[in-house]
Each structure stands twice: as structure tokens, then as C-alpha cells.
Amino acid sequence: MALAFRTVAQLAGVSLSWLGWVLSCLTNYLPHWKNLNLDLNEMENWTMGLWQTCVIQEAVGMQCKDFDSFLALPAELRVSRILMFLSNGLGFLGLLVSGFGLDCLRIGESHRDLKRRLLILGGILSWVSGITALVPVSWVAHKTVQEFWDENVPDFVPRWEFGEALFLGWFAGLSLLLGGCLLHCAACSSHAPLASGHYAVAQTQDHHRQLETRNANLKN
């Protein structure tokens, strides 16, 4: 039962980490962190991401323009760019490291302690990747709420609202955190048995040792 749990935890942890990494990459580049609907022109919607601003018109479609200057961006967008890049890099590294620690991978099968450490390291990297994805998304969401309820802004001025990428980023961060937890649970559980060929060799060696010990006892 413990061995089955270890195998399932490993596969589920890597799968969730992979899903979270893919979603965090999409969150980084999608221009839908904020949405703006104009009451005066319902045929036109604005969206903003970390890299560009887009306008969606029913007649023309979507047209996007990249931000001209990094330093001219608000602080939350500048920091979010850096943290999302860090999240994408750490998430990929965590997948790579934890992949080599899986029991189903025949490479390094005899080095169980090393594979366990790789799983733990992969889980830690997934955790950090999840946190660095949740922080910028939550920060931008917090600033959006503050600006939406700012009493100094007249009521007739349009307000930015949550975009789809924020929800995608929250789901990505939680997937990475859960994947890291499962990898740690798998690393702390019982080891899976050796492959059939290795198990047969080990069993034969144990049998030979028992025969040698028995013969030595008979001679004495």
C-alpha cells in the first residue's frame, strides 16, 4: 500500500507541477491581467498584461502595443515581470530535477538516496516557483481593487477590473505548491522495490550468501 501511494504521489506531483508550470508561462505572456470596459463604447474593450496593452474592437479585432519602457511601468508590473520569469525558470528546473528522482526512471536505480534527494529538491523548487507566481498575481489584484475603490477618482472614469490571467496565475501557483507537497510526501514514504531484473539478482546473491553461511557452519 505504501509503495502504491509513493508511485501515485510521484506521478501526481510531477503532473501537477507540469500543469502549474505551463499555466504560469501562459500567465506571464497573456495580455489579460486587467480588463477595462468602456460604458460609452460597448464595442471596445481594453486589456493589459505585463508586456503589452490591447484593444479589442468588434469591427477590427484585437490590436496590441508593447510597452515602450520598462522603467516607466508601475512598480507592481516591473516586479511582476521579474517574479514571473523566476517562477517559469524555477518551475522548469524543478520538473527536470524531480523527473530524475522518479522510481519509474531506470537511470540511477541503485542510488535510492540520491533519487530521494532529487525528489525533495524538485519539491522545494516547485514550492518556490508557486510562491513566486502567486505573489505578483496577488499584488496586481490588490492594486486593482485599491484603484477600483479609490474615492479620489470620479465615478465617470472607467475602472480596471480583474482579467482572466489573474485567475490562471492563482491556479498555476496552487498547482505548483500542491505538486511540491506530493513530491515531498513521495520522498518521505517507503521506497519502491527494485526492477524485476535487479530484484532477481539481489535475491540470488542473498541465496548464495545463505548457502555459504550454512556450509561454513557445517564445516565447523
Side-chain angles (χ1 to χ4, degrees):
M1 188 68 181
L3 299 180
F5 169 77
R6 177 184 173 87
T7 303
V8 172
Q10 285 183 3
L11 296 178
V14 171
S15 299
L16 282 173
S17 298
W18 178 82
L19 176 64
W21 175 72
V22 171
L23 294 180
S24 69
C25 291
L26 290 175
T27 302
N28 189 7
Y29 294 104
L30 282 177
H32 297 283
W33 284 57
K34 295 182 180 182
N35 292 336
L36 181 66
N37 298 321
L38 300 178
D39 295 333
L40 298 178
N41 186 3
E42 297 181 355
M43 311 286 288
E44 182 176 290
N45 295 323
W46 289 78
T47 64
M48 179 188 295
L50 297 180
W51 306 94
Q52 56 189 358
T53 301
C54 299
V55 57
I56 305 172
Q57 297 174 323
E58 193 169 301
V60 182
M62 178 181 286
Q63 294 178 321
C64 298
K65 183 180 184 302
D66 295 337
F67 292 119
D68 296 328
S69 173
F70 173 78
L71 297 178
L73 293 174
E76 66 271 15
L77 294 185
R78 294 199 306 268
V79 177
S80 295
R81 280 190 182 186
I82 299 171
L83 290 179
M84 289 305 298
F85 263 129
L86 186 62
S87 175
N88 297 158
L90 291 176
F92 177 76
L93 188 59
L95 284 173
L96 190 64
V97 170
S98 58
F100 284 107
L102 295 177
D103 290 337
C104 59
L105 193 68
R106 301 294 295 270
I107 299 175
E109 201 170 20
S110 58
H111 302 286
R112 289 181 168 181
D113 189 58
L114 176 59
K115 292 175 78 71
R116 184 181 66 84
R117 292 179 181 178
L118 289 176
L119 280 179
I120 294 175
L121 179 58
I124 293 175
L125 290 173
S126 294
W127 277 349
V128 178
S129 176
I131 292 173
T132 52
L134 289 174
V135 168
V137 172
S138 301
W139 189 6
V140 171
H142 175 68
K143 294 292 292 185
T144 303
V145 172
Q146 278 188 328
E147 294 170 358
F148 186 88
W149 296 109
D150 190 356
E151 297 180 354
N152 296 322
V153 179
D155 293 337
F156 61 85
V157 176
R159 314 291 178 99
W160 290 99
E161 299 183 15
F162 289 175
E164 295 83 356
L166 294 183
F167 300 98
L168 200 64
W170 278 319
F171 189 76
L174 293 176
S175 297
L176 287 165
L177 289 176
L178 183 57
C181 290
L182 289 175
L183 289 175
H184 271 266
C185 291
C188 297
S189 62
S190 302
H191 284 289
L194 292 171
S196 57
H198 289 234
Y199 179 75
V201 172
Q203 193 176 35
T204 303
Q205 291 176 347
D206 291 339
H207 183 65
H208 281 303
R209 292 194 193 98
Q210 291 176 2
L211 289 177
E212 291 176 356
T213 303
R214 188 179 301 172
N215 292 333
N217 292 334
L218 290 176
K219 289 179 180 179
N220 294 333

